Amino acid sequence: MSERKYKRMGICPPISEAPPTAKDLSLDSELRRTLNSLGIFESAPQRQSRDEVLATLRDRVRKWSVRLAVERRLPPAPSPADADSTAAAAAAAPTEEEAGMLASHGAYAAALLTFGSFHLQVHSPDADIDLLCVAPRHVQRADLLDRANKWGLQAQLEADPNVTEILAIPEAYTPVVKFKVGKISIDMLFASLPRYATLPIAPSHANTPTPPAAVE
C-alpha cells in the first residue's frame, strides 16, 4: 500500500502522522469532560456576549474608516453587495448619514481580525480578546489615537459609557489600544497597508473563530 503524501508546513517533520487511536479519542473526551467540570470553558451566554461585543466593534471600525475616506474626498467605491448585507446583519442600524457614506464609500472599510487564544478557541472565560485592525492606506496610526476629532476611534471609545479602562500606547512599534467593553477586555493592534487603497478582502469576510464542539 502506497503512503499518502502530505504537504508539510515548516522545516521540521511531525512526530507522527498516524491518526488517533480509539484510546486517544477516549482520553481526549475524558480530558474535555474534566476541563468542563472545572469551568475552563466559557458558557453559551458568555460566548454570545463576546460575539456581540465583536460585532459592535467591527461595525464601529467599519463606519470610522469609511467616514475618513469621505472626509479625505476619496473617489466613490461602493462595497460588494454581499459584504453590505453580511455587515448589516450583525450591526446596529446606521443613521441616514452613515448609510449614505457606506453606500458610496463602503469599499474603504477597515477589517477587525481576531488572533491569539480567542481565535484558537483555547481561551478561558476571563481571557481578553486580541484584535488586529487592518486598514487601507488612507487610515493612519494617528487616526486611531485621534481624540480631538469626535469621530476619531479613540474619541468614540471614550464617549461610549460601556467602554472603560482605555489605555492607548502610541509609542509602541505597533500601536495598541487596551480597553474593556463591559467585563470583556480587549487588546486592539493597528496596521495600515500602504499598498492598498482598499483591502484585498471584504471586511465582512474577516476571520471569525468557530466555537468548539459541545462537551457531553
Side-chain angles (χ1 to χ4, degrees):
M1 184 174 62
S2 61
E3 294 184 358
R4 181 179 298 179
K5 298 295 183 181
Y6 294 96
K7 181 180 179 181
R8 187 200 305 170
M9 308 299 290
I11 60 175
C12 299
I15 296 175
S16 173
E17 294 182 358
T21 65
K23 183 177 181 180
D24 292 333
L25 296 174
S26 176
L27 291 172
D28 182 75
S29 296
E30 183 178 346
L31 175 61
R32 284 177 173 272
R33 286 193 294 270
T34 301
L35 294 175
N36 191 53
S37 67
L38 295 174
I40 299 299
F41 300 122
E42 65 183 359
S43 64
Q46 288 173 321
R47 169 71 199 199
Q48 181 179 357
S49 178
R50 285 178 181 268
D51 289 342
E52 291 172 352
V53 167
L54 190 55
T56 299
L57 289 174
R58 280 180 167 151
D59 181 52
R60 173 167 284 166
V61 164
R62 177 172 177 254
K63 292 174 180 176
W64 161 68
S65 53
V66 168
R67 182 180 290 275
L68 286 174
V70 174
E71 290 179 348
R72 288 164 187 177
R73 301 185 179 183
L74 298 182
S79 58
D82 64 328
D84 284 336
S85 60
T86 304
T95 64
E96 184 175 348
E97 180 190 17
E98 289 172 340
M101 292 189 300
L102 292 171
S104 63
H105 290 71
Y108 294 109
L112 209 53
L113 309 179
T114 59
F115 67 98
S117 62
F118 174 72
H119 183 72
L120 295 174
Q121 292 297 282
V122 294
H123 61 285
S124 60
D126 59 349
D128 61 9
I129 301 179
D130 294 310
L131 298 174
L132 172 62
C133 177
V134 182
R137 62 189 176 209
H138 74 278
V139 184
Q140 300 298 315
R141 61 187 294 162
D143 298 316
L144 176 74
L145 308 174
D146 188 359
R147 303 174 66 185
N149 182 350
K150 69 175 183 177
W151 299 116
L153 189 57
Q154 185 175 346
Q156 290 188 51
L157 293 174
E158 292 176 344
D160 188 337
N162 296 315
V163 179
T164 59
E165 300 183 26
I166 302 173
L167 174 63
I169 310 177
E171 64 274 10
Y173 182 78
T174 301
V176 59
V177 179
K178 297 173 175 284
F179 55 94
K180 275 190 173 183
V181 181
K183 296 182 179 180
I184 300 174
S185 298
I186 306 291
D187 283 3
M188 184 168 67
L189 283 69
F190 173 79
S192 178
L193 305 182
R195 292 181 56 189
Y196 293 96
T198 61
L199 294 184
I201 60 168
S204 60
H205 297 161
N207 59 344
T208 300
T210 302
V215 179
E216 298 295 338

